[in-house]
Amino acid sequence: MPEHLITDLQNILGINYVLINEDMIPYLTDWRKKFTGKALAVLLPNSTEEIATIVKTCSKASVSIVPQGGHTGFCGGATPDISGKQVILNLKRMNQVRQIDVENQTITIEAGCILQSVQEIAAQQGFLFPLSLGAEGSCMIGGNLATNAGGTNVLRYGNTRDLCLGLEVVTAQGEIWDGLKGLRKDNTGYDLRGLFIGSEGTLGIITAAVMKLYPLPISQWTTLIAASDIPSTIAILNLFQKRATSLLTGFEMMTHESLKLTVKHFPKMANPLKNDPPFTILVELSDHESEDHVRKLLEDILAQAFDDGLVSDAVIATNLSQANTFWQMREHLTLAQAQEGANLKHDITIPLSALSAFILETDALVKKHYPGARILNFGHLGDGNLHYNIAPPEGVDYLAFNMNNEKAIHDLIYEQVEHFGGSISAEHGIGQLKLADLRNHKGAVAHELMKAIKQALDPKNTLNPNKVVSI
Ligand code: FAD
Ligand code: 2HG
Ligand code: ZN
């Protein structure tokens, strides 16, 4: 690294926006406190042109760049390695709304906009920006795009990729690609936008995006439903899909074990359903027409589910505040697990038709090989997405348990995922956490294609090296 790199960067950004020494500390450790790295500097640019100049400067000095948004990712993608030779490029100052196009129903936003503020700005204009996840108060739209985040509205509106119409990206060579057209159809060759979405900062730096907006629903009804097993849970999902079709906007599953841990850390999050059922399902219906219609539909579907013997108890939220409490129960699962200790996360998808067998077999294997280990299984069941997390037996130290068992537990669960035709990452991505697992999972051909793409777009390995794929 040339001696004068820091001075060059200070000349580009101004001295206040090149953090060094202890000022870097908040940027070096991820949300879960699982990964801590070192860095030469943390850079805080506020324009696309500044980012382009930084990339050219760093590339010339052979210094690699770790893009960072809200640093809430679960796979260590935004955390630098321990060499101390990388720079972090945090996009939080790139937080302008560039345009709201009411007729086109789009919003053009910079990568550092906080997700929740985008939802709020859209709502002020009478629109819904449907991306919604527990970290929305601190994750940023660039991070959401770079991870192709999912969350709780995917069932109805799709994941971040489905919500994006255009991107502005700084390439690994420091060129600016302006792809900010808000077009719903554009078949002009390779899908560059699609390539950068979900690339976790390894192919380009996303600086702005055109995102879809939707009409705000006028009515939402939220209910908690008790189910005794996974087949009933899936039958309930299918019933709602059949009868509520596009009015179904949320279908989340929480197991008894995960809710027990939530109440331990957040006693106010007690389950209003009687007798702590094995499975608690949160269902949300949304309507743009009439309040009465959706309420009646919900009651009818529930009545049918009771008649069919699928449901043993249900509570419909009578007001917004109660609906929010139901959602908070769901969002506090992750917070409670983080308070308890950094457990072993498996963010997986399984085809719904194979889900029951997967859970039955995998639970049995985990219980056999790791007696007493807690299976904290919950997730966006409507998408077949489970968060199949494993915590040590009550009272056993997390660090020691993870150190002894992490690889074997990941292997066991990922083998099961392969066997049942699933994916080892539904929504959190690969980062550094699953780098080694990806090759097995994708197979040699797909993995080589991914490496060829990285090699073609970033031959000097300037952007987020050793995340997703190594070249
Ligand atoms: P970061 O963590 O800062 O970065 C993530 C990756 O993107 C890194 O590889 C980074 O290098 C890259 N990156 C960041 N910004 C850019 C950019 N501008 N250009 C190029 N690359 C970039 N995720 C879900 O999908 N669904 C959930 O339901 C969900 N719930 C969560 C709940 C909680 C409580 C927490 C803490 C996290 C949750 N997450 C969830 C994970 C996380 O919030 C998402 O992955 C989110 O999209 C990350 O955004 P971020 O801004 O924090 O990105
Ligand atoms: C969620 O769905 C997040 O709440 C976090 O994706 C999942 O804590 C987890 O493993
Ligand atoms: Zn999730």
Side-chain angles (χ1 to χ4, degrees):
M1 184 211 38
E3 290 281 299
H4 48 79
L5 179 68
I6 296 292
T7 320
D8 290 348
L9 293 168
Q10 287 170 338
N11 288 338
I12 299 164
L13 294 177
I15 196 157
N16 291 335
Y17 301 117
V18 179
L19 309 183
I20 50 171
N21 301 328
E22 62 273 15
D23 289 343
M24 297 194 287
I25 290 170
Y27 302 85
L28 297 176
T29 301
D30 71 322
W31 188 89
R32 297 183 71 207
K33 301 188 171 47
K34 188 170 171 67
F35 300 98
T36 295
K38 292 182 186 158
L40 274 176
V42 175
L43 311 178
L44 303 173
N46 82 342
S47 74
T48 305
E49 290 72 24
E50 279 184 356
I51 294 177
T53 313
I54 289 168
V55 173
K56 282 185 182 143
T57 307
C58 289
S59 170
K60 205 167 148 203
S62 297
V63 165
S64 57
I65 299 171
V66 180
Q68 189 178 84
H71 212 179
T72 66
F74 284 143
C75 301
T79 315
D81 63 24
I82 51 166
S83 68
K85 292 181 178 164
Q86 301 187 301
V87 294
I88 295 170
L89 189 132
N90 184 294
L91 283 106
K92 67 178 177 185
R93 290 180 66 228
M94 294 274 300
N95 60 3
Q96 298 302 304
V97 174
R98 294 196 189 162
Q99 192 194 15
I100 297 184
D101 185 335
V102 172
E103 287 178 339
N104 201 38
Q105 308 215 342
T106 51
I107 184 167
T108 305
I109 41 185
E110 291 185 344
C113 289
I114 302 272
L115 172 55
Q116 191 175 324
S117 69
V118 179
Q119 297 164 344
E120 287 166 0
I121 290 162
Q124 283 158 16
Q125 303 288 324
F127 286 112
L128 172 75
F129 181 60
L131 183 64
S132 179
L133 44 131
E136 62 199 20
S138 47
C139 65
M140 296 174 193
I141 210 74
N144 301 147
L145 284 157
T147 56
N148 185 26
T152 52
N153 270 330
V154 173
L155 183 62
R156 166 69 181 84
Y157 297 98
N159 48 28
T160 310
R161 183 189 302 282
D162 299 309
L163 298 172
C164 178
L165 294 176
L167 285 183
E168 179 187 83
V169 173
V170 173
T171 69
Q173 292 70 36
E175 303 298 332
I176 298 170
W177 172 52
D178 179 356
L180 283 178
K181 288 181 182 163
L183 303 177
R184 283 171 170 79
K185 284 189 164 180
D186 182 8
N187 275 351
T188 47
Y190 301 138
D191 180 6
L192 297 179
R193 178 186 68 217
L195 201 54
F196 289 113
I197 296 172
S199 68
E200 301 182 49
T202 61
L203 300 180
I205 298 169
I206 297 168
T207 49
V210 188
M211 306 298 292
K212 290 184 199 167
L213 296 174
Y214 289 83
L216 266 178
I218 60 154
S219 167
Q220 285 189 309
W221 288 94
T222 312
T223 179
L224 291 178
I225 300 173
S228 54
D229 51 31
I230 284 286
S232 316
T233 306
I234 293 172
I236 295 166
L237 170 67
N238 290 156
L239 183 62
F240 272 95
Q241 285 171 321
K242 188 170 164 208
R243 294 202 50 193
T245 60
S246 63
L247 303 188
L248 178 62
T249 47
F251 196 99
E252 299 285 320
M253 180 275 279
M254 303 170 266
T255 54
H256 165 69
E257 188 85 50
S258 3
L259 282 172
K260 196 171 92 183
L261 191 71
T262 306
V263 176
K264 176 177 164 190
H265 291 282
F266 302 99
K268 285 188 182 151
M269 296 291 142
N271 193 344
L273 293 171
K274 291 187 293 263
N275 305 324
D276 286 329
F279 295 91
T280 297
I281 310 165
L282 188 160
V283 179
E284 181 193 76
L285 300 190
S286 307
D287 197 2
H288 296 86
E289 298 277 327
S290 109
E291 181 132 346
D292 290 347
H293 168 248
V294 69
R295 159 101 208 191
K296 171 139 192 348
L297 179 67
L298 176 58
E299 286 170 352
D300 282 357
I301 299 174
L302 280 177
Q304 186 181 341
F306 273 106
D307 285 350
D308 292 351
L310 299 172
V311 167
S312 55
D313 188 16
V315 188
I316 299 178
T318 51
N319 53 43
L320 190 62
S321 139
Q322 200 181 9
N324 286 341
T325 312
F326 292 179
W327 275 109
Q328 276 176 20
M329 255 174 80
R330 164 64 182 85
E331 299 303 358
H332 276 70
L333 297 175
T334 298
L335 305 181
Q337 290 179 29
Q339 293 227 346
E340 180 86 357
N343 58 29
L344 300 176
K345 284 192 185 298
H346 306 91
D347 159 43
I348 58 180
T349 356
I350 304 290
L352 281 169
S353 43
L355 202 65
S356 294
F358 170 86
I359 293 179
L360 208 70
E361 258 194 35
T362 312
D363 283 7
L365 283 171
V366 172
K367 284 177 187 155
K368 179 175 156 204
H369 293 291
Y370 306 94
R374 284 166 292 168
I375 303 171
L376 302 166
N377 181 2
F378 64 101
H380 317 284
L381 199 94
D383 315 321
N385 178 184
L386 292 182
H387 296 303
Y388 195 95
N389 298 339
I390 307 291
E394 199 97 45
V396 171
D397 179 62
Y398 270 74
L399 269 181
F401 180 83
N402 289 352
M403 209 181 315
N404 293 333
N405 302 303
E406 179 160 7
K407 181 160 180 340
I409 288 182
H410 287 328
D411 287 350
L412 182 157
I413 289 166
Y414 292 153
E415 264 170 39
Q416 288 292 102
V417 168
E418 298 306 336
H419 178 67
F420 284 95
S423 168
I424 63 165
S425 174
E427 54 175 16
H428 297 162
I430 302 300
Q432 50 180 300
L433 180 70
K434 299 179 199 164
L435 183 75
D437 300 306
L438 188 73
R439 192 186 175 285
N440 284 341
H441 177 66
K442 292 299 267 193
V445 175
H447 196 250
E448 285 306 313
L449 284 172
M450 287 176 67
K451 281 167 66 177
I453 291 169
K454 170 73 176 168
Q455 184 75 47
L457 268 65
D458 183 16
K460 286 186 74 181
N461 216 5
T462 305
L463 298 180
N464 226 1
N466 301 318
K467 309 281 172 56
V468 186
V469 285
S470 291
I471 55 167

